[in-house]
Amino acid sequence: MAEDIAPGTVLVTGGSGYLGSWIAVGLLRRGYRVRATIRNLARQDEVRAMIASEVDPGDRLSFVAADLLKDDGWDAAAQGADYVMHVASPMPIGEFRGHDVIRPAREGTRRVLTASAKAGVKRVVLTSSMSAATPKDKERQVSEETVWTDVPDKPAFNYARAKTLAEQDAWAFVREEGRGMELATVLPSQIQGPVLGSDFSASVGVIAMMLRGKMPVLPRIGFGIVDVRDLVDIHILAMTEPQAAGERFLATGDFLWFTDIARILREKLGARADKVPTRKLPDLVVRIGALFNPEMAQMAPNLGIQTKASIAKAERLLGWKPRPAAESIVDAANSLIAHGLA
């Protein structure tokens, strides 16, 4: 779609975040007007510069202040929007480490959907997580769109619980109070790929830690990987394709162990990966550490488990296909180095 065509206005929540800022880039490239929510408008020049490093937004990018835990600002943010990309959701790391992430995820989703329905938005695309579609037997069963995670009510599972409950709330809201508004959800695995600035996913943070020498040993952990650029594409397809309405879509690609990621970095980056670890961390150390350390407590249930997932639905209905995970890893590393972040 040519950039001089203005097909509509899209509200993007969490516009300063890793995925939110990349979605803004993708929408602007396709000619949309983008209204991005950020909690503090003092950051708008910084976020605009991040986005402008990939595409000239001209006068098609604006910002509004809105917080997932406050009612203020959401009605104004949604007013006049044709579509909403609800990307914002806290992770139990960084500023949210040790804090409740379930309440902001659930209450924030309701605030966004309530304002969207009131404003007459055509369709909302909610960024959920593959952790909301995890089968009970992660080693033998396949994650796909009919699966809902049965999440234990324990702190180590708070993120998965937040994403699962928030997505279930969203489907219930649209069914009971949506006023004809459509919903589609995208469930990504771990996100990799190039960064626009210092806000990036926790999984890209793993690459940064390896490059800085801050991860001296490698736990027996792995995950499916999806490139942030491919994730942008599936979000926009979920927003625009008629057959996407009322559907969930898993978005994932190759499964890589931490040892695979470290090997790729050493092979492709040469001397720039001199600090990337080679030693493995014994499972027993992780399990003992889980008794005292929140990060290890989140790792422990996934030790040695290679999850399986199907993206057949996204391929069939949307024609979506992810790029190789190794490409995403290398591009993430190169961009971190270019930005002075590794």
Side-chain angles (χ1 to χ4, degrees), residues 158 193 232 243 316:
N158 276 355
V232 169
Q243 63 270 29
R316 183 181 74 253

Side-chain angles (χ1 to χ4, degrees), residues 16 38 40-53 57 61-63:
S16 63
I38 52 180
N40 186 349
L41 287 178
R43 292 197 63 196
Q44 62 182 313
D45 290 343
E46 172 197 350
V47 179
R48 181 180 291 275
M50 286 165 45
I51 292 168
S53 70
L61 174 64
S62 60
F63 298 93

Side-chain angles (χ1 to χ4, degrees), residues 213-227:
K214 299 296 185 183
M215 184 183 289
V217 287
L218 299 165
R220 199 161 59 103
I221 297 291
F223 40 75
I225 288 172
V226 62
D227 191 285

